Amino acid sequence: MHPDDKDLEISHIEGGLHTIDKKGGDAIVADTAAADYVDSSIIITEEENLRLRRKIYKHLLPVMCVAYITQSLDKGTLGSASIMGWQKDVGAVGQDYALTSTLLWVGIICGEPIVNQFVRKLPVAKVLGISIVIWSALVMGLAFSLDVKPVFAIRFLLGFFESSFSPCLVAITVQWFTAHEQTLITTVWQAMFAAAGFASNLIAYGFYQLGGDSNAKTKGLYTWQWMTVVIALISFIAAVIVLVFLPDTPVQARWATKEEKVKYVERVRTNDQGIQQKVWRSDQAREVLRDPLPWLLFGMMFIQSTVVGGLNTFNNLLIKNAFGFTTSQALLLALPLAVFQVILYFLIGWLGTKTRQTVYCMVGYVMVNIAGSIVLITVAPSSKTKVGLLITFYLMQCCQATNPSMYAMLSRNVAGQTKKSVVYAIFFVGWAGGNALGPQLFQAKWASRYINSLYIHIALYCAFIIDVLVMRWICVSRNKKRDALMQGQVNAHAHAFEDKTDLQNIEFRYSY
């Protein structure tokens, strides 16, 4: 992260700034959401800023977590069902299980270009809430699909409507939190992925005990069907919570006074990213094509997701088949795995916030995965080694735990509402594309240790490291050039709400 970012942020909060444009009048405000709530002369003390932040934590952050844990819980349902007899019950053979995962991500790829324009133009909380309602209905349909063909169709539609989740939450994060706060905040709601894994496997274990290894029906349904129904109902409840309690922008928060709304808008002035602008600007879209940073963000996300998509899809099968545990043991062992993921999420979030070196923290985490892959390749499973292999697999969740840092690299380093909508779409297409490809790297003929898959993963880890280091070099270089051009002038963030892109606004600073 740029070393002066914190000082710039504090100077705005403590001293209060009045923004003047070149013509001598008040600065232009192009931001449609913030237009009536911009007041650069306002003074926000550190104590007041802390109070405002705590109020956001109380009212906003829990709802964001509910949304993300629901999405993650639903998406992980099939992973748990895969070792509860689902494949036999629906007639899935060969690569059918891997294809169900791939189709989910194909649906997301199709949805991202559309949904990111919805996020730019429509109330973001409503887009998210309605998506959860539709998603919940589809999960309920999945529970009663006993043939693999309708499962393929439902998984594609699930992906299409899931495409709104992450873009909506990233947009909300940018609206409410400063660049310095975003790494830790993104970590909090991203950690719900691991929490959902814990909950999903706990629910699966409970229902599995009803049928046992015989997979007998209980009251007319297989145990995995009961599990899926319960998760769908939980999702419906979450949809109601999001639609009722999540505001579309800071200025629409019912729990904030008008004075507080102005302060919430001014808190994020130093981001130089605005709140919301509904007008499409073709020049910003064209800028994406010539700016290397969005494509490096895409590469980072695609590479990491290719690894994680395969590991997440096959983790229960790896624990059961590759390491030699029973079905019940595999479900139970996935519980501490989820807890460990949460720890890794918060550790990298804390390290990134503390050191302000997001990229270096990601590189360190990925090095752990390289070492873990080498161990899984070289150590054969046996009764003596399976515990050690399991611990190694736990440590390899480090790659998954880089997610919040990658999202923070996206949210902090792109400005201009049209440009953001395009870059977000590209980024999340990379996320979906990687996850779609990832399971296909685990070919059935390579089971049960998937040695070839691990060799491919090592190459991907190296490519990831090169990508993020190049991205860091670009961010550092751009910041240095801008500091030199400003010749020691105070960064007043005068163009924060003028809908300028990060390349157009000399006051914008990149974080790394």
Side-chain angles (χ1 to χ4, degrees):
M1 189 174 191
H2 190 270
D4 296 332
D5 279 354
K6 187 175 181 181
D7 296 333
L8 293 172
E9 181 180 314
I10 292 174
S11 69
H12 172 62
I13 292 173
E14 290 187 337
L17 298 170
H18 184 60
T19 304
I20 303 295
D21 70 5
K22 293 180 180 179
K23 297 180 180 178
D26 288 342
I28 299 167
V29 178
D31 197 301
T32 53
D36 297 328
Y37 294 86
V38 173
D39 182 1
S40 57
S41 65
I42 197 167
I43 297 174
I44 305 176
T45 64
E46 284 195 37
E47 292 78 11
E48 177 68 357
N49 187 50
L50 182 60
R51 185 188 70 82
L52 293 169
R53 191 164 62 232
R54 285 175 175 169
K55 200 167 183 179
I56 303 173
Y57 292 164
K58 177 182 177 182
H59 292 280
L60 187 78
L61 197 53
V63 185
M64 295 174 69
C65 290
V66 166
Y68 202 74
I69 196 172
T70 301
Q71 174 250 1
S72 302
L73 188 65
D74 292 347
K75 192 163 59 181
T77 301
L78 208 57
S80 298
S82 68
I83 59 173
M84 296 172 66
W86 172 86
Q87 296 183 70
K88 178 182 177 182
D89 297 333
V90 301
V93 296
Q95 288 295 110
D96 283 349
Y97 174 61
L99 185 58
T100 62
S101 177
T102 296
L103 285 171
L104 178 90
W105 299 106
V106 171
I108 293 175
I109 291 172
C110 294
E112 286 298 342
I114 299 171
V115 78
N116 276 281
Q117 296 312 311
F118 284 172
V119 172
R120 181 177 62 83
K121 297 188 67 173
L122 302 176
V124 64
K126 303 304 182 293
V127 172
L128 180 60
I130 293 171
S131 296
I132 298 177
V133 171
I134 298 172
W135 172 279
S136 305
L138 289 168
V139 172
M140 186 66 76
L142 192 65
F144 296 96
S145 297
L146 292 176
D147 185 86
V148 75
K149 291 180 181 178
V151 171
F152 290 155
I154 291 174
R155 291 287 285 181
F156 173 83
L157 292 172
L158 281 169
F160 187 88
F161 288 101
E162 189 201 334
S163 62
S164 66
F165 281 74
S166 292
C168 285
L169 291 174
V170 170
I172 292 167
T173 301
V174 173
Q175 287 179 353
W176 286 90
F177 298 98
T178 66
H180 179 60
E181 296 166 345
Q182 284 173 26
T183 299
L184 191 56
I185 295 303
T186 305
T187 298
V188 172
W189 58 262
Q190 276 271 307
M192 295 304 103
F193 173 84
F198 182 91
S200 178
N201 282 287
L202 188 61
I203 293 170
Y205 178 77
F207 280 107
Y208 180 77
Q209 299 310 305
L210 296 176
D213 291 325
S214 64
N215 192 33
K217 287 187 176 182
T218 302
K219 295 186 178 180
L221 296 177
Y222 293 112
T223 53
W224 63 264
Q225 288 180 287
W226 281 115
M227 175 190 71
T228 308
V229 168
V230 168
I231 290 175
L233 292 174
I234 293 172
S235 186
F236 273 119
I237 294 171
V240 174
I241 293 172
V242 169
L243 287 169
V244 173
F245 295 106
L246 188 63
D248 294 305
T249 66
V251 303
Q252 292 170 294
R254 292 192 298 270
W255 41 265
T257 65
K258 185 172 182 178
E259 181 184 357
E260 286 175 336
K261 291 174 182 178
V262 173
K263 291 179 179 179
Y264 282 130
V265 169
E266 286 297 327
R267 274 187 82 248
V268 297
R269 174 178 287 276
T270 54
N271 292 352
D272 287 303
Q273 293 174 301
I275 303 295
Q276 187 177 40
Q277 167 57 269
K278 298 180 180 181
V279 178
W280 172 267
R281 296 186 59 179
S282 298
D283 61 313
Q284 293 191 8
R286 289 192 297 269
E287 184 178 297
V288 175
L289 298 176
R290 60 184 175 86
D291 183 0
L293 199 58
W295 303 105
L296 287 167
L297 286 166
F298 166 84
M300 171 186 70
M301 189 77 250
F302 178 79
I303 295 166
Q304 189 260 14
S305 298
T306 301
V307 173
V308 171
L311 291 178
N312 284 344
T313 302
F314 285 86
N315 61 2
N316 282 329
L317 292 176
L318 284 169
I319 293 173
K320 179 185 176 184
N321 298 330
F323 303 157
F325 292 95
T326 66
T327 298
S328 292
Q329 289 173 333
L331 288 169
L332 284 177
L333 289 170
L335 299 180
L337 176 67
V339 173
F340 189 62
Q341 284 178 333
V342 172
I343 294 171
L344 290 174
Y345 270 65
F346 280 101
L347 178 60
I348 195 170
W350 178 80
L351 287 171
T353 302
K354 186 75 174 177
T355 65
R356 297 174 179 265
Q357 296 293 342
T358 303
V359 168
Y360 288 155
C361 289
M362 289 194 293
V363 170
Y365 262 45
V366 169
M367 293 297 290
V368 174
N369 269 65
I370 293 176
S373 297
I374 293 172
V375 170
L376 294 187
I377 290 170
T378 56
V379 179
S382 67
S383 58
K384 293 182 178 180
T385 62
K386 67 179 184 179
V387 174
L389 291 172
L390 181 67
I391 293 172
T392 299
F393 188 67
Y394 276 25
L395 291 171
M396 289 174 66
Q397 304 309 304
C398 281
C399 188
Q400 166 72 51
T402 61
N403 258 21
S405 299
M406 293 192 300
Y407 278 51
M409 289 294 290
L410 170 71
S411 67
R412 297 179 301 180
N413 289 315
V414 184
Q417 298 303 322
T418 299
K419 182 177 181 180
K420 281 200 298 183
S421 71
V422 175
V423 175
Y424 283 16
I426 291 171
F427 181 86
F428 288 112
V429 164
W431 169 62
N435 277 285
L437 176 62
Q440 301 305 318
L441 299 182
F442 285 75
Q443 294 290 309
K445 60 186 178 183
W446 295 342
S448 61
R449 292 180 64 194
Y450 298 101
I451 298 297
N452 290 345
S453 306
L454 295 171
Y455 278 122
I456 296 171
H457 280 190
I458 291 175
L460 290 171
Y461 295 137
C462 294
F464 178 90
I465 292 172
I466 293 170
D467 183 284
V468 297
L469 289 177
V470 171
M471 186 160 32
R472 186 184 187 279
W473 175 77
I474 290 175
C475 291
V476 171
S477 300
R478 289 181 177 180
N479 283 351
K480 286 182 177 179
K481 289 179 181 178
R482 293 172 184 214
D483 290 343
L485 288 171
M486 292 189 70
Q487 298 178 342
Q489 298 177 38
V490 175
N491 191 340
H493 301 282
H495 308 291
F497 300 103
E498 295 179 21
D499 195 27
K500 289 181 178 291
T501 69
D502 52 287
L503 291 182
Q504 293 169 343
N505 185 2
I506 193 176
E507 295 178 333
F508 186 92
R509 291 298 181 271
Y510 296 92
S511 301
Y512 46 82

